[in-house]
Amino acid sequence: MAILITGGAGYIGSVVAESLTKNNTVVILDDLSTGKKQLVNSNAIFVNGSILNKKLLNNIFSKYQFDIVIHLAAKTVVPESVLKPKLYMHVNVDGTKNILSCMHKYGCEKIIFSSSAAVYGEPKSIPIKESAPKKPCNPYGTSKLQAEHLILNSHLKYCILRFFNVAGASHSLKYGMTKDKPTLLVAAVNKMLISGKRPIIFGNQYKTKDGTCIRDYIHVEDLSTACQLCIKYLKKHSTGIFNLGSNKGHSVLEVIKLACNINKVPLQYDIKPNRLGDPSVLLASSQLAKFQLKWKPKFGLKDMVWTDYKFRVKNHLK
């Protein structure tokens, strides 16, 4: 099977590629704007380029005749999206439009798309189901929702995966979060502790068991497994939209306590004011993925924090 992974040199893409290069021809397209060359799988074919480059996309699609596209390339940092909304719409929406156009032109009928829990905005009920209202509260979420609409109207076979908080590294410790300033909590906390800094809690007066926000976390390898199951799913089905989360909540303080224990340092953190728009609790309902994809998370929070920590230490990421 010939598979195109856009964003395959990024955090999630590199882990997905690791599982798929064993038995498939995998082409990774990444412009390395956030991805890293060292995360490119050695068993994959690497093309350095952008999903905004229509000529390049046509060349790739005509050369390899893909059976499926796993579309992970995107701008993903919420605060940046507020400052640069046009950039996020251009990359995340126009880039997706370019991918879909080439799929139609060259006869590739299947796509797996990485969407986000950000499409829901601030939910009215917990846990969040796929049918919940979609009211994104930032340009990143809006761009993901618009990309979803393009795919829904594309007449292609698709799986749309709405990720919640991704964490951890591959158990091989070859692939993980390498950003200099990670915004994902587990990676950010480990980075601060390894560097001898104190993690930051934004608000400790929420209506939760310890006053800090509760979020749903998913190990990046569980996410990779979901992509593999989607490939199988699309052999028999035409469409699917799935939340990917653990159905369990962990507070920010709980994550920090666990990370301090794994880093073998005393419990330490600083408190700063609540961030505007941060809900107290965000939890996914992943029942559809469980019953239709036959997917369930294998790894818990401890594994997420531990693999991220070991990956950072091995690769000297401070």
Side-chain angles (χ1 to χ4, degrees):
M1 181 181 291
I3 303 172
L4 172 64
I5 303 178
T6 69
Y11 169 41
I12 294 172
S14 62
V15 178
V16 172
E18 183 179 29
S19 65
L20 292 175
T21 51
K22 298 171 185 176
N23 300 305
N24 304 285
T25 299
V26 174
V27 177
I28 289 172
L29 174 65
D30 200 301
D31 64 4
L32 301 181
S33 58
T34 55
K36 299 291 179 66
K37 188 65 180 291
Q38 65 262 35
L39 292 182
V40 174
N41 193 290
S42 59
N43 294 317
I45 300 163
F46 175 60
V47 179
N48 188 340
S50 170
I51 57 174
L52 299 173
N53 187 332
K54 295 181 181 179
K55 182 178 180 180
L56 177 62
L57 285 174
N58 274 277
N59 289 339
I60 296 170
F61 273 86
S62 64
K63 183 175 181 179
Y64 293 104
Q65 296 297 307
F66 297 112
D67 297 290
I68 192 165
V69 172
I70 301 177
H71 182 25
L72 304 171
K75 293 290 184 183
T76 62
V77 181
V78 171
E80 183 186 51
S81 78
V82 176
L83 298 174
K84 302 176 180 179
K86 290 183 179 179
L87 173 65
Y88 272 64
M89 297 301 290
H90 185 41
V91 175
N92 295 355
V93 180
D94 293 339
T96 299
K97 191 180 297 183
N98 293 341
I99 293 289
L100 297 176
S101 176
C102 280
M103 290 180 68
H104 281 296
K105 184 175 181 179
Y106 295 98
C108 179
E109 298 180 342
K110 301 172 183 175
I111 184 169
I112 299 169
F113 175 62
S114 65
S115 189
S116 167
V119 301
Y120 296 113
E122 296 188 30
K124 292 183 178 180
S125 62
I126 299 293
I128 304 169
K129 296 182 179 180
E130 289 84 352
S131 58
K134 265 62 79 180
K135 295 182 178 180
C137 53
N138 53 65
Y140 167 63
T142 300
S143 70
K144 282 294 188 180
L145 186 59
Q146 289 198 18
E148 282 193 15
H149 289 159
L150 291 174
I151 293 169
L152 293 175
N153 295 312
S154 69
H155 304 294
L156 297 169
K157 294 182 178 181
Y158 63 80
C159 280
I160 292 173
L161 302 178
R162 293 174 181 152
F163 306 155
F164 279 65
N165 294 274
V166 186
S170 68
H171 284 78
S172 68
L173 303 182
K174 292 181 180 179
Y175 306 101
M177 171 59 72
T178 59
K179 282 185 178 179
D180 295 331
K181 296 180 180 180
T183 54
L184 298 175
L185 181 64
V186 170
V189 169
N190 272 333
K191 179 179 173 61
M192 288 181 177
L193 292 175
I194 291 171
S195 302
K197 299 177 182 177
R198 297 164 66 92
I200 297 169
I201 293 177
F202 290 96
N204 64 345
Q205 300 297 319
Y206 290 94
K207 295 180 180 179
T208 61
K209 56 187 177 183
D210 60 25
T212 65
C213 289
I214 290 176
R215 295 292 183 264
D216 197 336
Y217 297 89
I218 174 177
H219 196 288
V220 67
E221 282 194 344
D222 282 326
L223 193 158
S224 177
T225 298
C227 288
Q228 296 173 62
L229 291 172
C230 283
I231 293 173
K232 295 180 180 178
Y233 176 87
L234 288 175
K235 291 179 180 179
K236 297 181 179 180
H237 306 275
S238 296
T239 64
I241 300 177
F242 305 104
N243 287 339
L244 293 183
S246 68
N247 288 42
K248 297 178 182 179
H250 297 284
S251 72
V252 173
L253 183 56
E254 188 178 354
V255 172
I256 291 175
K257 285 180 177 178
L258 183 55
C260 286
N261 184 46
I262 287 173
N263 280 265
K264 297 181 179 179
V265 298
L267 179 61
Q268 53 184 333
Y269 55 87
D270 292 323
I271 301 291
K272 290 196 175 182
N274 296 15
R275 290 182 298 194
L276 195 63
D278 259 354
S280 296
V281 181
L282 285 178
L283 291 178
S285 170
S286 298
Q287 293 303 303
L288 277 181
K290 177 181 178 181
F291 291 114
Q292 294 188 25
L293 289 181
K294 310 302 179 187
W295 175 85
K296 65 178 181 178
K298 182 178 179 181
F299 304 108
L301 182 63
K302 185 176 181 179
D303 221 318
M304 298 179 213
V305 178
W306 184 86
T307 52
D308 179 83
Y309 167 75
K310 295 295 287 185
F311 175 77
R312 293 187 166 279
V313 170
K314 180 184 177 183
N315 293 279
H316 308 290
L317 296 171
K318 294 185 179 181

